[in-house]
Amino acid sequence: MAIKVLELHHVGLGVTNAQADQMRDFYCNVLSLEQDPGRWKIPGIHGYFINLPNGTQVHILGSDGPSPYAKGPGKDPVQNHLAVAVESISDAEAELLKQNLQYFTLENVASPELKQIFVRDPAGNTVEIHQKDARRPGVVKGGESAPDPVNAA
């Protein structure tokens, strides 16, 4: 059984720390997109999440050199990638094993319930796979920010 992708979740852009602020300014000021104020704290990674109108995001991931989460050469989750959400991460991993495809996993440091799988397509592009119901907090369908439960009246 093939992996069933439910949605494009985000596109991750790995840049230097200095470029991260310039990237945010471009996406927010030139393209008039909103910065997600609920971006997770990712230790060692400077960056921003930018909301797109359809509920997906651009993740700007700043790191000067390999990130602290790299699992070796070519195995850095901060490098450029696209991320898709699936119904079952365990079913997706079983399919990758069945097809004898190489991949690496990461238990997300900002959201421990989120397991991420990184695999390369035949051209060498990195694809992140994770479970749909383990989405980032603070974003609702349509890309609008969810109300802040702490400061809600």
Side-chain angles (χ1 to χ4, degrees), residues 48-64:
Y48 307 94
F49 290 174
I50 305 296
N51 294 330
L52 296 171
N54 64 358
T56 61
Q57 290 188 321
V58 173
H59 289 185
I60 300 168
L61 305 166
S63 181
D64 292 329

Side-chain angles (χ1 to χ4, degrees), residues 14-24 39 44-48 60-65 78:
V15 299
T16 66
N17 286 323
Q19 291 171 317
D21 294 336
Q22 296 170 343
M23 296 281 286
R24 178 208 48 214
R39 179 190 180 257
I45 303 300
H46 175 62
Y48 307 94
I60 300 168
L61 305 166
S63 181
D64 292 329
V78 173

Side-chain angles (χ1 to χ4, degrees), residues 12 16 21-22 24 28 36 43 58 61 68 72 75 77 89 91 97-98 108 110-111 117 119 122 127 139 149:
T16 66
D21 294 336
Q22 296 170 343
R24 178 208 48 214
C28 293
D36 179 354
V58 173
L61 305 166
K75 295 181 177 180
I89 193 68
D91 289 352
L97 288 169
K98 178 180 164 190
N108 188 291
S111 181
I117 295 175
V119 62
V127 178
V139 174

Side-chain angles (χ1 to χ4, degrees), residues 4-5 10 50 73 79 87 96 110 123 125 127 133 135 144 147 153:
K4 182 179 178 188
V5 172
H10 69 267
I50 305 296
Q79 65 196 2
E87 188 171 299
L96 293 174
N125 302 298
V127 178
D133 61 6
R135 287 183 68 104
E144 299 144 6

